Amino acid sequence: MRRSGESRYSWGGDEHLVVQFAEAMSLEVNFTAMAVSKILNDERLPGIVDICPANASLLIRFDPDVVAPADVEATVRAAEEKVAGAPARSVETRIFEVPVWYDDPFTNETGARFRDRHQRPEGNDLEFAAVENDMDSVQAFIDAHSGSPWITSMVGFVAGLPFMFQMVPQERQLELPKYLRPRTDTPALTIGHGGCFACIYSVRGAGGYQMFGVTPVPIFDPEQRLADFNDFMVFFRPGDIVKFRSIDNAEYDAIRAEVEAGTYRYRQRPVTFDLDRLLADPDGYNAELLGALYGS
Amino acid sequence: MAVEIVEPGLASSIQDRGRPGYYSVGIPPSGAADLPAAVAANLLVGNAPDAAVIEAPYMGPALLFDAPTVVAVTGATMPVLLNGAPAPQWESFPVAAGDQLSFGFLQAGARIYIAVAGGFDVPVVLGSRSTYALGGFGGFEGRNLRKGDVIPIGPAQGAPGRAVPGELRPAYSREIELRVVLGLYDYRLTEAGRNCLLESEWTLTPVADRTGFRYSGPVLEWEERIQPFGAGSDPSNIVDAGYPIGSIQVPGGVEPIILHRDAVSGGGYAMVATVISADLNRVAQCSPGTRTRFVPVTLDEALRARADDQARAAKLREALEATP
């Protein structure tokens, strides 16, 4: 299939179109994927079944009995051209807090069980992460992980699992390989990391990302027990801005009790996210976003 | 009325035509892995084509009926037993209260479909009764069936004595050609790697379920490069992207995986081709050890294959609706 500009269009069988905007990850390319998705969502061409923005690409699932593949391609190309002509540099979204018990016993026990699949036999994944990122302590790594906010660049893998990209310059991105061979088990609500992406495992299951801790807060709730899930069983949406906050065992237990009682609410605020302001002054702009979240 | 699961089989689950529209948040379409077989089972008993059925891979369950009704079994070739006596496959037949339906050993194919007049009446979640076990919702209590489960059946008249004509029954083989559309990240393979994918015989491993089917065979060669930022260090790694249903990924260049209807919706492994929609149903009837070749087709050829399948489905519908 021909290429338009930098992007690569390709058919995934007779029901999918995949657009690769770039091979490398960046906030700009993720913004493009989200902006094209938004136009397609607003247009709602009949026969388009799923519009799945990813980190640096876009997956469209369509029903070829309803819409001709060529029409799907033309619609997506038009949306991409629209975005290229008037790049979306800001987005209305929300910022919320995810409390994390780093270095917890659940992920440490699981990590120890699958050590033969890991690059570094000694220590745990956090110690490996600190060494790989030239930090002098695990605490320094946790401070970097929980200091600056992250943007949700993709939702998927399994139900409601967010991929998050930290809103810092590339030289400060935390980068780590995945496990040499994937684990067959990961605790639910594990905070994971692979490549430059953080994730939260929405359900217990297989996984290959390094494990740093657990959150007491559900992100996927098929029974929709908590008020934050009234609208939908999945909490995360692409574009959500996330601030991790380090908590201890006691606070983890206290929040779990609130979740069990059905009273827990996410701390969250609506914000306008401006890409150019972030790129111009990451720390200053992030401080402003956190001010909006914590009301300072 | 209701059906009691006396024996659950290996990984039996409730499925209908699936749950489209939630892939962007990681919820796969699910639905019967062999859709035409599930539709045939429903039409045989007089149900709408999208009623919920039981899908059972490799080993049949045993079911106990508490009221008279009509059932039909399609899909993999497997002896059907009613109270221990042979009963037909690809035909609907009546059962009485207290009757038990069970199965002999698998002879060909991989998955049977059991329809009961009225359909398995489990709650509709996000528009479907299909089980999504990984997410823990849909189907019967969000999981595969267990011994002792009692599944309600919707009200219906039922249509006993309908049969799928012989020429419309599929034949299953342990040797199969799957048509694929090349593309996606196949530019990451060397020419030798692409040729190897298409010229090799692949063998289905025991890792073959509703999420994906994994094949053993030679190692594929990737283009050397400095990996793009965020992709990960292995040459088969990409910046995590969405995975089409039916796409073939090759982690580390070994053991290609075809994602099926309970697919993980995205991840960081390069996909190099996609099985066409018509052949995804045929993948569902492959058992471990099946020798497989990937045959490249164009998008137009894929659409023609889809139209051929639909013509066959229409013929089946006509044949069944003409009988009582």
Side-chain angles (χ1 to χ4, degrees):
Chain A
M1 195 179 287
R2 81 190 162 86
R3 296 174 60 161
S4 80
E6 286 292 296
S7 301
R8 197 187 288 264
Y9 282 65
S10 181
W11 300 113
D14 47 326
E15 294 185 348
H16 306 83
L17 175 64
V18 172
V19 185
Q20 301 168 49
F21 297 107
E23 291 198 49
M25 178 60 188
S26 66
L27 277 171
E28 287 94 330
V29 71
N30 185 243
F31 248 68
T32 300
M34 284 199 256
V36 174
S37 299
K38 183 171 186 314
I39 291 173
L40 296 173
N41 265 314
D42 292 346
E43 288 177 354
R44 274 280 151 216
L45 179 69
I48 288 191
V49 179
D50 292 292
I51 299 162
C52 312
N55 295 311
S57 59
L58 171 65
L59 168 68
I60 306 286
R61 185 155 194 250
F62 59 89
D63 180 349
D65 303 337
V66 177
V67 63
D71 291 344
V72 175
E73 184 188 343
T75 302
V76 178
R77 284 190 188 275
E80 190 191 356
E81 266 157 42
K82 210 181 211 176
V83 169
R89 305 300 285 185
S90 73
V91 63
E92 296 302 318
T93 182
R94 56 183 179 165
I95 183 169
F96 54 82
E97 176 190 275
V98 172
V100 181
W101 183 11
Y102 290 97
D103 210 359
D104 68 293
F106 310 111
T107 57
N108 278 333
E109 184 276 327
T110 306
R113 206 148 36 91
F114 292 100
R115 217 69 209 146
D116 59 327
R117 302 175 188 220
H118 198 276
Q119 292 80 353
R120 189 172 181 264
E122 66 275 21
N124 63 14
D125 294 4
L126 266 174
E127 288 164 17
F128 173 67
V131 171
E132 284 286 301
N133 286 277
D134 298 321
M135 307 262 181
D136 45 24
S137 69
V138 162
Q139 191 55 51
F141 183 85
I142 293 172
D143 290 347
H145 191 268
S146 59
S148 299
W150 302 67
I151 188 159
T152 305
S153 51
M154 169 173 168
V155 177
F157 180 60
V158 292
L161 180 150
F163 290 82
M164 292 156 286
F165 184 72
Q166 201 166 24
M167 293 156 57
V168 295
Q170 196 177 104
E171 64 275 10
R172 277 165 54 193
Q173 293 273 333
L174 306 171
E175 267 200 282
L176 284 168
K178 299 174 186 176
Y179 272 48
L180 294 176
R181 286 180 294 128
R183 299 175 304 272
T184 55
D185 193 18
T186 310
L189 300 174
T190 289
I191 310 300
H193 199 99
C196 61
F197 297 104
C199 81
I200 304 174
Y201 285 88
S202 51
V203 293
R204 183 178 176 178
Y209 276 28
Q210 307 285 337
M211 301 180 291
F212 299 155
V214 288
T215 176
V217 183
I219 63 166
F220 170 63
D221 180 6
E223 289 164 14
Q224 298 177 282
R225 286 194 323 116
L226 294 179
D228 286 317
F229 293 84
N230 278 348
D231 292 340
F232 194 45
M233 60 171 76
V234 166
F235 186 67
F236 275 79
R237 301 191 286 257
D240 280 343
I241 298 173
V242 184
K243 167 69 169 65
F244 294 121
R245 183 170 63 86
S246 179
I247 59 170
D248 60 13
N249 185 357
E251 190 172 359
Y252 176 90
D253 290 342
I255 296 175
R256 274 311 306 173
E258 280 183 62
V259 170
E260 297 299 328
T263 57
Y264 184 83
R265 295 301 303 261
Y266 274 88
R267 172 188 280 272
Q268 59 174 306
R269 296 283 182 278
V271 287
T272 304
F273 173 58
D274 186 314
L275 181 60
D276 291 317
R277 292 194 57 209
L278 176 77
L279 296 176
D281 175 18
D283 292 327
Y285 188 60
N286 282 336
E288 197 179 305
L289 288 174
L290 296 182
L293 176 61
Y294 293 108
S296 62
Chain B
M1 74 160 286
V3 166
E4 183 186 335
I5 306 297
V6 179
E7 291 295 337
L10 283 176
S12 305
S13 65
I14 305 280
Q15 300 293 341
D16 59 10
R17 282 223 269 205
R19 181 178 289 116
Y22 300 95
Y23 208 41
S24 65
V25 292
I27 297 174
S30 300
D34 180 354
L35 277 170
V39 169
N42 274 322
L43 295 179
L44 282 168
V45 299
N47 288 345
D50 58 351
V53 300
I54 290 178
E55 172 180 290
Y58 308 135
M59 184 191 274
L63 309 178
L64 181 65
F65 297 86
D66 74 348
T69 184
V70 176
V71 302
V73 180
T74 62
T77 309
M78 192 185 275
V80 182
L81 302 168
L82 187 61
N83 303 319
Q89 202 173 4
W90 298 97
E91 278 185 52
S92 57
F93 55 89
V95 298
D99 277 358
Q100 186 165 319
L101 184 72
S102 62
F103 297 88
F105 291 112
L106 178 70
Q107 291 170 354
R111 286 170 171 75
I112 57 165
Y113 291 86
I114 307 166
V116 176
F120 292 95
D121 190 16
V122 296
V124 174
V125 183
L126 301 180
S128 167
R129 292 187 166 87
S130 289
T131 310
Y132 173 42
L134 202 53
F137 69 89
F140 187 80
E141 297 183 355
R143 57 168 172 78
N144 290 341
L145 300 178
R146 290 182 197 149
K147 189 184 177 104
D149 288 345
V150 176
I151 308 168
I153 302 293
Q157 285 290 316
R162 288 185 177 182
V164 173
E167 71 273 15
L168 291 177
R169 298 183 191 188
Y172 305 114
S173 169
R174 301 270 291 163
E175 230 169 288
I176 192 170
E177 287 188 348
L178 296 175
R179 291 164 288 185
V180 301
V181 175
L182 289 172
L184 306 176
Y185 295 78
D186 71 333
Y187 59 89
R188 296 285 305 109
L189 291 170
T190 62
E191 202 185 329
R194 265 194 303 278
N195 289 341
C196 181
L197 175 74
L198 299 175
E199 287 163 9
S200 304
E201 184 177 86
W202 301 92
T203 305
L204 182 59
T205 71
V207 184
D209 60 25
R210 295 185 45 81
T211 301
F213 288 66
R214 183 185 288 245
Y215 293 82
S216 63
V219 179
L220 300 188
E221 183 184 80
W222 303 90
E223 292 283 0
E224 300 256 352
R225 69 165 176 182
I226 295 166
Q227 285 286 89
F229 178 74
S233 48
D234 190 272
S236 68
N237 286 160
I238 56 170
V239 167
D240 294 60
Y243 288 154
I245 307 296
S247 63
I248 303 176
Q249 55 178 266
V250 198
V254 298
E255 303 208 328
I257 299 166
I258 300 173
L259 290 179
H260 219 275
R261 299 196 206 284
D262 280 1
V264 291
S265 71
Y269 291 113
M271 304 147 267
V272 297
T274 308
V275 175
I276 68 172
S277 61
D279 283 358
L280 205 57
N281 297 306
R282 299 167 69 223
V283 172
Q285 293 297 355
C286 294
S287 56
T290 300
R291 294 186 298 282
T292 306
R293 285 183 183 277
F294 299 123
V295 179
V297 296
T298 63
L299 175 61
D300 285 339
E301 288 169 324
L303 292 170
R304 276 199 293 278
R306 185 184 178 95
D308 289 347
D309 266 24
Q310 284 168 350
R312 214 166 10 253
K315 219 182 275 177
L316 177 75
R317 217 162 38 239
E318 275 168 34
L320 293 183
E321 280 163 6
T323 52

